[in-house]
Short mmCIF file of all heavy atoms in Angstrom, two decimals:
data_model
loop_
_atom_site.label_atom_id
_atom_site.label_comp_id
_atom_site.label_asym_id
_atom_site.label_seq_id
_atom_site.Cartn_x
_atom_site.Cartn_y
_atom_site.Cartn_z
N SER A 218 10.31 14.39 -18.19
CA SER A 218 9.24 13.58 -17.79
C SER A 218 8.28 14.29 -17.01
O SER A 218 7.21 13.91 -16.74
CB SER A 218 9.71 12.25 -17.10
OG SER A 218 10.25 12.67 -15.97
N GLY A 219 8.70 15.48 -16.43
CA GLY A 219 7.85 16.20 -15.54
C GLY A 219 7.99 15.95 -14.16
O GLY A 219 7.29 16.45 -13.23
N SER A 220 8.91 14.91 -13.80
CA SER A 220 9.08 14.56 -12.32
C SER A 220 10.01 15.61 -11.77
O SER A 220 10.79 16.37 -12.51
CB SER A 220 9.56 13.17 -12.28
OG SER A 220 10.89 13.15 -12.93
N VAL A 221 9.95 15.75 -10.46
CA VAL A 221 10.85 16.57 -9.76
C VAL A 221 12.33 16.32 -9.91
O VAL A 221 12.64 15.11 -9.67
CB VAL A 221 10.42 16.69 -8.28
CG1 VAL A 221 11.35 17.72 -7.56
CG2 VAL A 221 9.06 17.10 -8.15
N LYS A 222 13.13 17.21 -10.38
CA LYS A 222 14.52 16.87 -10.66
C LYS A 222 15.39 17.28 -9.50
O LYS A 222 16.33 16.58 -9.16
CB LYS A 222 14.91 17.66 -11.86
CG LYS A 222 16.44 17.40 -12.38
CD LYS A 222 16.68 18.09 -13.65
CE LYS A 222 18.13 17.81 -14.03
NZ LYS A 222 18.42 18.65 -15.33
N ARG A 223 15.07 18.43 -8.81
CA ARG A 223 15.90 18.92 -7.79
C ARG A 223 15.03 19.26 -6.60
O ARG A 223 14.10 20.07 -6.60
CB ARG A 223 16.75 20.00 -8.20
CG ARG A 223 17.56 20.76 -7.11
CD ARG A 223 18.33 21.86 -7.66
NE ARG A 223 18.92 22.71 -6.59
CZ ARG A 223 20.12 22.45 -6.07
NH1 ARG A 223 20.76 21.43 -6.46
NH2 ARG A 223 20.65 23.06 -5.12
N VAL A 224 15.29 18.68 -5.41
CA VAL A 224 14.53 18.96 -4.25
C VAL A 224 15.42 19.31 -3.04
O VAL A 224 16.30 18.47 -2.69
CB VAL A 224 13.57 17.80 -3.91
CG1 VAL A 224 12.75 18.13 -2.58
CG2 VAL A 224 12.68 17.49 -4.95
N LYS A 225 15.28 20.38 -2.42
CA LYS A 225 16.05 20.77 -1.20
C LYS A 225 15.15 20.37 -0.06
O LYS A 225 14.13 20.89 0.16
CB LYS A 225 16.38 22.28 -1.27
CG LYS A 225 17.31 22.72 -2.28
CD LYS A 225 17.79 24.23 -2.06
CE LYS A 225 18.79 24.55 -3.13
NZ LYS A 225 19.21 25.95 -2.98
N LEU A 226 15.70 19.49 0.74
CA LEU A 226 14.98 19.17 1.97
C LEU A 226 15.68 19.76 3.24
O LEU A 226 15.79 19.14 4.18
CB LEU A 226 15.16 17.55 2.07
CG LEU A 226 14.51 16.83 0.88
CD1 LEU A 226 14.71 15.30 1.10
CD2 LEU A 226 13.04 17.15 0.72
N GLU A 227 15.92 21.05 3.11
CA GLU A 227 16.59 21.64 4.17
C GLU A 227 15.63 21.78 5.40
O GLU A 227 16.03 22.04 6.57
CB GLU A 227 17.09 23.13 3.82
CG GLU A 227 16.00 24.09 3.58
CD GLU A 227 15.58 24.08 2.05
OE1 GLU A 227 15.94 23.09 1.28
OE2 GLU A 227 14.94 25.08 1.52
N ASP A 228 14.30 21.63 5.13
CA ASP A 228 13.31 21.67 6.16
C ASP A 228 12.87 20.29 6.66
O ASP A 228 11.83 20.17 7.43
CB ASP A 228 12.08 22.41 5.78
CG ASP A 228 12.29 23.98 5.42
OD1 ASP A 228 13.26 24.45 6.06
OD2 ASP A 228 11.76 24.43 4.48
N TYR A 229 13.68 19.27 6.28
CA TYR A 229 13.26 17.99 6.71
C TYR A 229 13.97 17.50 7.98
O TYR A 229 15.20 17.43 8.03
CB TYR A 229 13.65 16.98 5.47
CG TYR A 229 13.14 15.58 5.66
CD1 TYR A 229 12.01 15.18 4.89
CD2 TYR A 229 13.65 14.63 6.38
CE1 TYR A 229 11.50 13.98 4.92
CE2 TYR A 229 13.19 13.38 6.44
CZ TYR A 229 12.13 13.01 5.73
OH TYR A 229 11.66 11.70 5.76
N GLN A 230 13.22 17.24 8.92
CA GLN A 230 13.79 16.88 10.27
C GLN A 230 13.96 15.34 10.44
O GLN A 230 13.06 14.61 10.00
CB GLN A 230 12.94 17.43 11.39
CG GLN A 230 13.51 17.16 12.80
CD GLN A 230 12.65 18.00 13.85
OE1 GLN A 230 12.22 19.03 13.54
NE2 GLN A 230 12.69 17.34 15.05
N ASP A 231 15.12 15.01 11.05
CA ASP A 231 15.37 13.54 11.18
C ASP A 231 14.64 12.92 12.35
O ASP A 231 14.18 11.73 12.25
CB ASP A 231 16.79 13.29 11.39
CG ASP A 231 17.64 13.53 10.16
OD1 ASP A 231 17.14 13.53 9.04
OD2 ASP A 231 18.78 14.00 10.29
#
Side-chain angles (χ1 to χ4, degrees):
S218 69
S220 62
V221 180
K222 184 178 181 181
R223 176 182 172 84
V224 179
K225 289 185 178 180
L226 300 178
E227 68 270 18
D228 294 330
Y229 191 101
Q230 184 172 327
D231 292 330

